Amino acid sequence: MKKFAERIVRQRAGILIFIGLLTVFFLYECTHLTMKADFNSLLPQKHPFIKVHNMIRNIFGGANQVLIMVQVRKGDIFNRKTLEKVQWITREAEKIPGVDPYKIRSLASSKLKDFKFSAGSMAINTLMFPDVPKNEQEMQELKDKIFSNPRYYGQYVAYDSKKTLIMVDFFEQDLDYNAIFHLLSSIREKTEDDNHIISIAGEPMHMGYIYQSTPKVLGIIAVTICAVIIMLFIYYRSLRAVIAPLLAAAISTVWGLGFMGLMRYNLDPLILVIPFFLALMTVPHAMQCITRFMEEYEKVRNMKQAAAQTIEALFLPGITSVVTDALGITLVAIASIPILIDIAITALFWCIAAATILSLIMTPLLLSFIPESRRLRKALEDKMEHHRSDFRTRLLTAIGTWLPQRGKWYIIILAVIISSVGIFFARQLQIGDFMPGSSILWPFHRYNKDAFRITFSIPLLNPLYIIVEGNEGGYISKGSTLREIDKFQRYIAKHERVMFTYSIANNLPGFFMSSNEDDPQWCHLPKDDRTLSFICRRLLYAGEPGTWDRYVDMQDKYGNIVVYCRDKMPTTVQSITDYIKKYLEQTPGPPGGKYLLAGGAVGVQAGIREVIADSQILNLVLALSGVFLFCVIIFKSLWAGIILVLPLVVANVITFALMGAYHIGLTTNTYPIASIGIGFGVDYGIYLLSRLIEERKKGFGLNEAIRQALTTSGRAVFQVSTTLTIGLLLWMFSALKFQAEMGVLLAILLLLNMLGAIFLVPTLICFIKPKFLMRIQKTA
């Protein structure tokens, strides 16, 4: 390491020029980086539910459905002004880019039909197309058509007659959520007035709101950077000490984003906090180098030699920390979610290349170019004298004196109590969204208000698609298939969190009754399979193209059973999917066909939930095992791995307990927190343990070496942790709720890891007295 460090310093000019050229290259590659919301990148593409979703999304509709509810404050919707608004919104929806025109449904669409049979004749008329009722008689006829048909009353018109729904579906390839959001917002602005509330919910609107929050998120990033600058200046009181880590972080950002551009990745607004955190990870390593550089310069009074000794002392623990950082974040790829895989690959480069070169090599080299002068030496001497006497040093010295004597017992007892309480609350952690609306946005955001209005008025916002697949065309309209579909719907409708179900079978009793001059005695499924099949085919052929394509495909091979759920919360999603799986295990299924799970908004959520549930424990175990193994290899001791990993376990238990206690669900967005915290949190312990080994080599006893390590490296750990914690806590003011939660959780996790490094690591060393520390002899 000594020869390596000296060679680096000798070639410092060439290395800095190389870094500069590399930065220019990555700056150019940043121009290839795209930034847009991509729904499909959030889905685990290998999960069976998502495969079904991908297969049927262009047949029956995907998870990108938008519901627009027109609600009146006074009176009911059956007035010309309200119905004209419904008509205008329906026509405007057809102009939105990416919309599937065959899947727009409203009172004003041509797809909604009224069937009348009499004396052998059949009359098929649209419900309210192309014109709204012009007089009271036509308005009463419209009411009669709606109130007498359960297909419309309760689904398109609320039972209180104050709300009506417009359903809009989209093709899922290359949707421009920003454009969709602006057009839907424009529709709302032009139609909402004192008596009309326009509520809009659905994934495209949801993603549009997230995209619109990007400028505010960038503002939070700017405020966080300002906070970090202030903290750096408070701790170092030197412009150079502020510029060096910030320059490393800025260049790291260029390298990381440039790498994403080089790989042609998309920077989703949802994950902005992770690239920012990756760039911020360069700062703590640079701070460690600055603190150590000041110590070394005080001893040798030579900039180049101080830089060489800083590299010699910190490169090995630094590279260990960087690799554990990369390991923790890279393991999020286990979930097989495209956006997390991209982040994992980026993090691998960002941590190992950027953090290593820019923090551990560039920072000391930049400091070595500072021109020496009597004034500079005096300033550094004053700073070091101030460091030795300020409250941080006094506090850490007191901790280092107290811990090896009586303090270790208190720390062990406290750690056991906190861990026990943490395990209790961590068991309450749920996988999925805790809110009926969006957990990404704040509870009182306009989107969540709209979602609540729709959910509690006409509960069609949370559909789960169950697909019936036949071996050949014409399968769904067979009598035996339709009876099985009806049987399945009756079973699933009994679930307490299912609002109602719908399929092609729901329309057959009413159609059969209409075929018999509206005699209520005929409102049932025909008992004969051939008659039932005939009635179904007659219904399918009676409508214009696209009328029934939400429930049956054109070849009559696939059927769609839509289960409308109360919400997408974890208990709802898990209980309903378990209920369906139980039925499929006990029932042979439709003759000659099979059921496929699952599509729709709830089906997608169920797939994501299962992937996160399966991969979270594995991710946690692999991250801790990887950190343990790497620490064992570097320090050549099993006890070193145990001592460094135990504080991480305690910190993660407490973090999961806080998530459980405060109802923060484990989702695609919060999933990476544990991995990031494990990889980054062990840095503190690695730097402290490395310094402890150095102090033992100087001839200090174990207790005195702990005190010296806490006073020196512990001080840097304290400064790094508080700087990052304060910066991340500012994310609580983010426009996106999940980013606020993620920032606060990361801040808490890093603070806990700092406390673990300062208190628990020395305590474990005092109890265990590991041989790799006790056998160290004083070196010359």
Side-chain angles (χ1 to χ4, degrees):
M1 284 307 305
K2 184 178 178 64
K3 292 179 180 179
F4 169 76
E6 289 173 350
R7 187 177 297 115
I8 289 290
V9 173
R10 281 199 304 270
Q11 299 174 359
R12 56 183 180 163
I15 291 173
L16 292 178
I17 291 171
F18 172 74
I19 291 173
L21 293 174
L22 207 55
T23 303
V24 171
F25 168 74
F26 282 123
L27 193 61
Y28 167 75
E29 289 298 333
C30 284
T31 60
H32 297 128
L33 181 64
T34 58
M35 186 174 177
K36 63 179 181 179
D38 184 4
F39 178 74
N40 287 322
S41 68
L42 301 172
L43 307 181
Q45 298 296 326
K46 295 181 181 179
H47 192 277
F49 288 8
I50 307 303
K51 289 180 179 179
V52 171
H53 160 78
N54 292 335
M55 181 184 75
I56 58 97
R57 63 188 181 187
N58 289 331
I59 303 174
F60 302 122
N64 275 296
Q65 186 184 73
V66 166
L67 300 185
I68 305 172
M69 188 174 76
V70 180
Q71 177 180 354
V72 295
R73 298 179 188 272
K74 297 178 182 179
D76 57 34
I77 64 165
F78 294 105
N79 61 84
R80 188 170 177 82
K81 184 177 180 181
T82 300
L83 294 178
E84 283 177 346
K85 287 180 181 288
V86 173
Q87 183 187 57
W88 185 83
I89 293 171
T90 303
R91 291 175 179 174
E92 289 298 306
E94 295 174 356
K95 303 174 185 178
I96 299 175
V99 74
D100 185 348
Y102 285 103
K103 293 187 178 67
I104 296 178
R105 299 283 193 277
S106 79
L107 298 181
S109 70
S110 62
K111 302 294 184 296
L112 270 59
K113 298 287 196 300
D114 178 55
F115 299 92
K116 293 293 181 185
F117 299 85
S118 61
S121 65
M122 178 173 66
I124 303 174
N125 299 306
T126 56
L127 201 64
M128 196 187 75
F129 179 88
D131 298 313
V132 300
K134 298 181 179 64
N135 51 52
E136 193 62 36
Q137 181 182 350
E138 291 182 0
M139 190 69 72
Q140 186 60 46
E141 290 176 358
L142 176 63
K143 289 181 182 180
D144 293 342
K145 292 176 184 177
I146 291 173
F147 293 153
S148 62
N149 194 330
R151 182 184 169 205
Y152 306 134
Y153 190 43
Q155 286 201 55
Y156 291 93
V157 176
Y159 291 121
D160 61 3
S161 299
K162 286 181 171 292
K163 311 166 192 84
T164 182
L165 209 60
I166 301 164
M167 305 171 68
V168 183
D169 217 325
F170 291 84
F171 297 111
E172 297 201 347
Q173 288 82 6
D174 300 321
L175 280 182
D176 187 345
Y177 292 111
N178 197 33
I180 294 171
F181 172 82
H182 283 296
L183 289 169
L184 290 173
S185 298
S186 175
I187 288 173
R188 175 161 54 199
E189 289 174 8
K190 293 176 181 177
T191 52
E192 201 166 45
D193 55 35
D194 292 340
N195 192 46
H196 294 87
I197 302 172
I198 309 299
S199 302
I200 307 176
E203 199 58 38
M205 195 68 178
H206 182 215
M207 298 297 282
Y209 273 118
I210 293 169
Y211 195 88
Q212 290 300 305
S213 300
T214 302
K216 296 179 181 178
V217 173
L218 294 175
I220 291 291
I221 290 176
V223 172
T224 305
I225 292 171
C226 291
V228 170
I229 292 172
I230 292 170
M231 293 299 296
L232 288 172
F233 189 79
I234 290 173
Y235 283 141
Y236 293 111
R237 300 184 183 275
S238 168
L239 189 60
R240 298 180 184 91
V242 172
I243 292 174
L246 289 178
L247 183 62
I251 297 175
S252 169
T253 303
V254 173
W255 285 23
L257 296 181
F259 179 80
M260 293 184 74
L262 180 66
M263 300 295 290
R264 300 301 187 266
Y265 290 155
N266 171 57
L267 182 58
D268 197 301
L270 274 175
I271 60 163
L272 266 178
V273 66
I274 296 181
F276 172 72
F277 189 73
L278 289 173
L280 203 61
M281 286 172 66
T282 314
V283 173
H285 298 293
M287 289 176 69
Q288 289 278 358
C289 289
I290 291 169
T291 304
R292 187 56 180 258
F293 180 87
M294 293 169 67
E295 288 182 34
E296 297 299 334
Y297 180 78
E298 188 184 28
K299 297 174 186 175
V300 299
R301 302 300 179 94
N302 182 281
M303 291 292 183
K304 291 173 65 176
Q305 192 174 347
Q309 291 184 1
T310 300
I311 295 172
E312 179 186 351
L314 293 185
F315 191 82
L316 188 58
I319 197 72
T320 305
S321 301
V322 165
V323 171
T324 56
D325 295 343
L327 175 67
I329 302 177
T330 303
L331 285 173
V332 301
I334 291 173
S336 298
I337 297 174
I339 194 171
L340 295 182
I341 293 173
D342 292 350
I343 279 293
I345 296 171
T346 302
L348 192 63
F349 167 82
W350 208 319
C351 291
I352 294 180
T356 302
I357 296 173
L358 299 175
S359 297
L360 304 177
I361 294 177
M362 188 190 78
T363 300
L365 294 185
L366 287 176
L367 294 173
S368 72
F369 277 102
I370 298 175
E372 296 184 57
S373 66
R374 185 178 300 174
R375 182 181 175 185
L376 176 65
R377 285 194 292 269
K378 181 67 169 63
L380 286 174
E381 287 173 5
D382 292 341
K383 285 184 178 62
M384 293 304 297
E385 187 61 34
H386 172 73
H387 286 179
R388 281 189 286 268
S389 60
D390 70 0
F391 82 95
R392 293 182 294 276
T393 303
R394 293 198 304 271
L395 175 64
L396 290 166
T397 303
I399 293 171
T401 304
W402 172 71
L403 264 179
Q405 299 172 10
R406 292 179 300 172
K408 57 187 178 183
W409 293 103
Y410 293 104
I411 297 301
I412 286 293
I413 293 170
L414 185 62
V416 171
I417 293 173
I418 290 176
S419 299
S420 302
V421 174
I423 290 171
F424 173 78
F425 282 103
R427 293 170 63 185
Q428 300 178 21
L429 177 66
Q430 294 193 38
I431 300 172
D433 292 334
F434 271 91
M435 293 178 58
S438 167
S439 63
I440 293 176
L441 303 170
W442 291 101
F444 295 102
H445 190 279
R446 175 64 194 258
Y447 177 84
N448 278 330
K449 290 180 180 180
D450 287 352
F452 293 155
R453 287 194 194 102
I454 294 173
T455 299
F456 296 119
S457 300
I458 308 177
L460 303 181
L461 187 58
N462 302 300
L464 169 68
Y465 297 164
I466 312 299
I467 308 303
V468 181
E469 180 187 25
N471 297 324
E472 58 186 3
Y475 174 78
I476 300 301
S477 59
K478 288 182 178 179
S480 57
T481 306
L482 293 167
R483 295 193 192 282
E484 168 58 29
I485 291 174
D486 181 64
K487 176 185 173 183
F488 175 79
Q489 286 185 247
R490 292 178 184 275
Y491 169 83
I492 193 63
K494 296 176 183 178
H495 194 282
E496 60 181 1
R497 304 193 77 82
V498 171
M499 306 306 292
F500 51 88
T501 66
Y502 216 87
S503 73
I504 192 64
N506 290 67
N507 299 279
L508 299 180
F511 191 74
F512 191 42
M513 181 183 72
S514 300
S515 302
N516 290 274
E517 300 192 2
D518 286 336
D519 185 346
Q521 295 186 57
W522 296 93
C523 189
H524 58 78
L525 291 180
K527 296 180 180 180
D528 179 64
D529 281 355
R530 289 183 300 174
T531 305
L532 178 58
S533 180
F534 171 77
I535 288 292
C536 182
R537 289 194 172 98
R538 189 179 182 190
L539 176 69
L540 294 176
Y541 299 149
E544 66 178 81
T547 300
W548 305 108
D549 62 358
R550 185 170 176 80
Y551 306 109
V552 182
D553 74 314
M554 292 180 66
Q555 284 75 39
D556 194 10
K557 180 180 179 181
Y558 294 97
N560 185 20
I561 303 171
V562 185
V563 180
Y564 290 104
C565 308
R566 180 175 296 176
D567 49 56
K568 293 187 292 185
M569 295 170 68
T571 51
T572 300
V573 175
Q574 182 178 5
S575 62
I576 290 178
T577 52
D578 289 346
Y579 192 66
I580 293 171
K581 289 177 180 178
K582 181 181 177 182
Y583 177 86
L584 299 184
E585 290 172 0
Q586 298 174 350
T587 306
K594 59 183 178 180
Y595 287 107
L596 300 176
L597 299 179
V602 175
V604 166
Q605 284 295 319
I608 294 172
R609 187 187 176 282
E610 289 188 6
V611 166
I612 292 177
D614 293 340
S615 60
Q616 173 59 26
I617 299 299
L618 178 62
N619 180 21
L620 200 60
V621 170
L622 288 179
L624 290 171
S625 301
V627 168
F628 171 79
L629 184 62
F630 203 75
C631 291
V632 167
I633 293 171
I634 293 299
F635 292 103
K636 301 176 184 177
S637 168
L638 287 173
W639 283 117
I642 294 171
I643 289 168
L644 291 173
V645 165
L646 275 179
L648 300 180
V649 175
V650 174
N652 275 277
V653 166
I654 297 172
T655 303
F656 287 140
L658 290 172
M659 293 177 69
Y662 288 97
H663 302 297
I664 301 174
L666 196 62
T667 64
T668 306
N669 310 311
T670 56
Y671 171 74
I673 288 177
S675 293
I676 294 173
I678 289 171
F680 193 78
V682 76
D683 293 359
Y684 301 147
I686 290 172
Y687 278 115
L688 191 72
L689 189 56
S690 298
R691 188 57 182 257
L692 184 57
I693 292 171
E694 280 188 50
E695 300 301 329
R696 286 284 292 143
K697 289 180 179 179
K698 294 177 183 177
F700 291 114
L702 183 61
N703 291 356
E704 179 60 21
I706 289 173
R707 191 181 70 82
Q708 291 289 342
L710 284 174
T711 307
T712 52
S713 184
R715 179 190 175 87
V717 166
F718 179 85
Q719 293 177 170
V720 167
S721 175
T722 51
T723 299
L724 295 183
T725 299
I726 290 173
L728 287 169
L729 282 175
L730 292 173
W731 281 81
M732 71 173 65
F733 302 108
S734 173
L736 300 178
K737 177 175 175 282
F738 100 91
Q739 286 186 343
E741 292 174 345
M742 199 167 178
V744 171
L745 286 173
L746 280 172
I748 293 172
L749 192 54
L750 294 181
L751 185 63
L752 290 171
N753 283 323
M754 182 269 285
L755 294 174
I758 291 177
F759 288 98
L760 196 52
V761 168
T763 297
L764 292 171
I765 290 171
C766 289
F767 273 105
I768 297 170
K769 292 184 172 57
K771 291 182 180 179
F772 80 97
L773 276 175
M774 303 307 295
R775 66 186 175 213
I776 293 175
Q777 301 295 323
K778 180 179 179 180
T779 56

